[in-house]
Amino acid sequence: MVARNLFIAGVTAMVGVIALIVLDWRTQQLEKLVSYQRIESVGETAGKLAVLMVMAAILYYLAREAFVTARANKLKLPVWLESNAVRFIGWLRLTHPLFGLLVLSLMLLHGYILWWVWAAGNFNLAVLSGMAAAAMLGLLALTGGLIRLLPKRISLRLLHRLGGFGFVLLLVVHRVLAG
């Protein structure tokens, strides 16, 4: 029940961001109502929040891998740590899709505001690297959704993991190029 509610909240946030982008794209009111400095500030804040959500989503993978590796190596963990780790990893597993949807929503908002509104659609290497990162994030979202539909397909999990590594790499390149 909690997972379904979190998923609905994430989808709602994403639909809201897409609706905002479509409405502003059609009316172009944002650039008329808000100064360019404020627009840049909002766009950068959306990007920073997206990076925080990326870190939260990655935490599920890191915590699970550390716990599984400790168990595989028969590392004796204190009882309180083992029970809390299992609970924490379970919570991260439930929230991982929500974090992913929030990353996607914030990335769309960040890209729209900084590229389309603030930079007037001009291309440069920072924009192209951001678009490449966005495309990789789209692959992550697609494979993540397919994993939910086809949980026994191990190849999807591998593709999702490799896509995650590629996304983080492209995100770092984008950040370096954006300055």
Side-chain angles (χ1 to χ4, degrees):
M1 190 64 161
V2 172
R4 193 178 103 216
N5 290 340
L6 289 174
F7 181 75
I8 289 171
V11 168
T12 302
M14 187 164 189
V15 167
V17 166
I18 291 171
L20 175 80
I21 289 171
V22 168
L23 287 173
D24 186 63
W25 178 64
R26 301 270 301 155
T27 62
Q28 296 179 343
Q29 293 300 311
L30 185 61
E31 58 191 287
K32 294 175 187 169
L33 298 173
V34 183
S35 71
Y36 279 104
Q37 292 80 16
R38 182 62 52 103
I39 289 172
E40 181 185 24
S41 175
V42 170
E44 287 177 353
T45 301
K48 290 174 184 174
L49 288 173
V51 169
L52 286 175
M53 293 295 109
V54 166
M55 289 181 198
I58 291 172
L59 186 58
Y60 167 62
Y61 170 75
L62 296 175
R64 188 178 57 79
E65 286 300 311
F67 188 69
V68 168
T69 302
R71 278 198 167 166
N73 291 331
K74 297 184 178 23
L75 186 64
K76 186 74 171 155
L77 298 174
V79 175
W80 67 269
L81 179 59
E82 187 156 339
S83 65
N84 287 331
V86 168
R87 188 175 301 125
F88 181 62
I89 292 169
W91 179 81
L92 287 173
R93 183 176 184 268
L94 289 176
T95 57
H96 180 80
L98 173 67
F99 291 141
L101 285 170
L102 290 175
V103 168
L104 197 55
S105 300
L106 289 165
M107 179 272 315
L108 285 172
L109 189 62
H110 166 77
Y112 176 74
I113 288 174
L114 284 182
W115 179 55
W116 188 256
V117 177
W118 188 72
N122 292 322
F123 280 100
N124 58 33
L125 287 177
V127 170
L128 293 174
S129 65
M131 288 181 169
M136 190 63 74
L137 187 60
L139 174 69
L140 277 174
L142 179 67
T143 57
L146 288 174
I147 287 169
R148 291 286 182 183
L149 293 174
L150 307 166
K152 296 193 188 279
R153 299 282 307 265
I154 302 301
S155 59
L156 287 174
R157 294 179 190 278
L158 178 63
L159 185 59
H160 189 70
R161 191 173 293 169
L162 291 173
F165 289 131
F167 171 70
V168 169
L169 179 66
L170 287 168
L171 184 63
V172 168
V173 168
H174 174 64
R175 183 65 190 121
V176 167
L177 291 174

